[in-house]
Amino acid sequence: MNPALFAIFGDPVHHSRSPLMHNHLFKTMGFNGCYTRIRLEDGARLRETFFKLGLKGANITVPHKEAAFAACDDIRGFANDVGVVNTIVSDNGRLIGYNTDADGFLFAIRGFETIRSVLIIGAGGTARALSARLRQEGMNVTVVNRSKPRLEPFIQEGFNTQTWDNFTPGKFDLVVNTTSAGLEDDSLPLPEELLLPTLKACRYAADAIYGKVTPFLSRCRTLDIPAIDGAEMLLGQGVLANRLFTNDAFDADETEKVMRESFAF
Ligand code: NDP
């Protein structure tokens, strides 16, 4: 029998560890599946490419999560609240969209003590998912972004929003970098004169980027702030996505354990 095919779509996508995580699980569990990565420049071609390749499911990363939402026939669960999809599954020719990023992030910060206030840097798909989910958990969320247009949906949803121009460093329990600054370059997500006082006043920090020490994470370490990178979030969203891909074929704890092993590769 042909293996069930899965992929991650993004641009860039070569850095993604999702293929390692899912393939290690498939191999360990004896599941007849294969997961690859696909660089997609035009998000409008996601649906067509997905079906042309005969995929059963896929993850979506930067910058196509909003395009993925638009590409689906049906949206389930939390993705409806945020208009952002990171996991799609084919169901008899229909494309069903989900968001597993936000719960993956909650999984990642479960070791942090009570968080009441959060500064999210960035206003893309990840920021939309996290801001909505963290607010559902009762946290007070502020969003700061380089450009103003991307803040519009946050303004409409009643979040505190600021651009670099009017941002005043304040006190937050948790500061999260959800931008792609530092992913392919050495830039900081906020200008240094704004970022450093903000980090000095916070209790915890988290970066959505994984697999490298970003300039943001490096500043956190210099300042001795407890900080996590995006690997734990990746793991959390991956476990949830895999349950959707395989119709809950494996126990969630076992999935987490096996996927975590792939981080050593
Ligand atoms: P989007 O493209 O939707 O949003 C990117 C955001 O980053 C925008 O707000 C953009 O601001 C900002 N930005 C980009 N470059 C810079 C820069 N040099 N300085 C300041 N701001 C910048 O991306 P996503 O939300 O989908 O993903 C963001 C990051 O999170 C990626 O690095 C991705 O790999 C990571 N991620 C990790 C996950 C994990 O599991 N660990 C899961 C999901 C995402 P502007 O509007 O001004 O352009």
Side-chain angles (χ1 to χ4, degrees), residues 11-12 15-16 18 21 60-66 84-86 100-102 104-105 108 121-130 143-151 154 164 177-191 207-211 214 229-238:
D11 184 17
H15 64 283
S16 174
S18 289
M21 273 186 351
I60 324 295
T61 188
V62 61
H64 300 315
K65 293 185 188 183
E66 279 129 339
V84 177
V85 156
N86 80 318
T100 67
D101 279 335
F105 185 74
I121 311 175
T126 308
R128 287 189 55 193
L130 297 195
V143 181
V144 59
N145 194 49
R146 180 176 60 179
S147 69
K148 174 115 178 134
R150 279 192 121 161
L151 286 170
F154 295 87
W164 290 5
N177 173 32
T178 70
T179 76
S180 33
L183 180 64
E184 296 270 281
D185 55 31
D186 284 330
S187 63
L188 286 167
L190 257 184
D207 200 334
I209 296 172
Y210 61 89
T214 59
D229 74 0
E232 290 295 311
M233 178 181 173
L234 174 78
L235 182 63
Q237 64 77 31

Side-chain angles (χ1 to χ4, degrees), residues 17-265:
R17 293 193 65 86
S18 289
L20 280 174
M21 273 186 351
H22 289 276
N23 284 329
H24 181 58
L25 182 78
F26 292 156
K27 195 170 166 200
T28 306
M29 300 304 210
F31 181 87
N32 189 19
C34 180
Y35 188 117
T36 186
R37 52 169 74 83
I38 296 167
R39 179 168 170 250
L40 184 75
E41 289 180 42
D42 181 3
R45 301 194 61 190
L46 175 68
R47 185 186 172 92
E48 159 199 347
T49 311
F50 180 94
F51 284 119
K52 206 192 279 177
L53 293 172
L55 301 179
K56 176 158 175 16
N59 289 120
I60 324 295
T61 188
V62 61
H64 300 315
K65 293 185 188 183
E66 279 129 339
F69 181 87
C72 289
D73 297 301
D74 191 11
I75 303 289
R76 305 234 171 112
F78 178 70
N80 277 305
D81 297 347
V82 286
V84 177
V85 156
N86 80 318
T87 304
I88 54 178
V89 177
S90 163
D91 180 11
N92 290 321
R94 298 181 75 241
L95 213 50
I96 316 295
Y98 303 85
N99 187 301
T100 67
D101 279 335
D103 282 328
F105 185 74
L106 287 179
F107 173 91
I109 61 166
R110 67 199 183 287
F112 293 170
E113 281 166 26
T114 317
I115 307 280
R116 293 196 177 82
S117 58
V118 182
L119 176 69
I120 293 184
I121 311 175
T126 308
R128 287 189 55 193
L130 297 195
S131 57
R133 192 69 187 85
L134 295 178
R135 184 156 75 175
Q136 284 175 356
E137 292 294 303
M139 299 174 203
N140 186 4
V141 178
T142 299
V143 181
V144 59
N145 194 49
R146 180 176 60 179
S147 69
K148 174 115 178 134
R150 279 192 121 161
L151 286 170
E152 267 319 310
F154 295 87
I155 294 168
Q156 279 167 24
E157 285 152 24
F159 286 100
N160 310 318
T161 61
Q162 290 167 19
T163 60
W164 290 5
D165 294 338
N166 59 18
F167 179 73
T168 312
K171 199 164 166 25
F172 301 93
D173 290 332
L174 172 65
V175 176
V176 190
N177 173 32
T178 70
T179 76
S180 33
L183 180 64
E184 296 270 281
D185 55 31
D186 284 330
S187 63
L188 286 167
L190 257 184
E192 187 138 32
E193 65 276 17
L194 299 177
L195 182 65
L196 286 189
T198 306
L199 288 179
K200 280 177 188 161
C202 79
R203 289 169 47 222
Y204 302 106
D207 200 334
I209 296 172
Y210 61 89
K212 66 179 285 194
V213 179
T214 59
F216 172 81
L217 216 49
S218 152
R219 297 303 188 282
C220 297
R221 289 188 182 169
T222 306
L223 293 168
D224 228 3
I225 297 158
I228 54 166
D229 74 0
E232 290 295 311
M233 178 181 173
L234 174 78
L235 182 63
Q237 64 77 31
V239 170
L240 299 176
N242 196 276
R243 295 180 72 179
L244 296 167
F245 292 158
T246 62
N247 284 327
D248 275 329
F250 320 117
D251 173 72
D253 289 341
E254 183 70 5
T255 300
E256 181 197 329
K257 183 178 142 283
V258 176
M259 282 187 159
R260 193 182 286 282
E261 286 167 10
S262 75
F263 285 16
F265 301 162

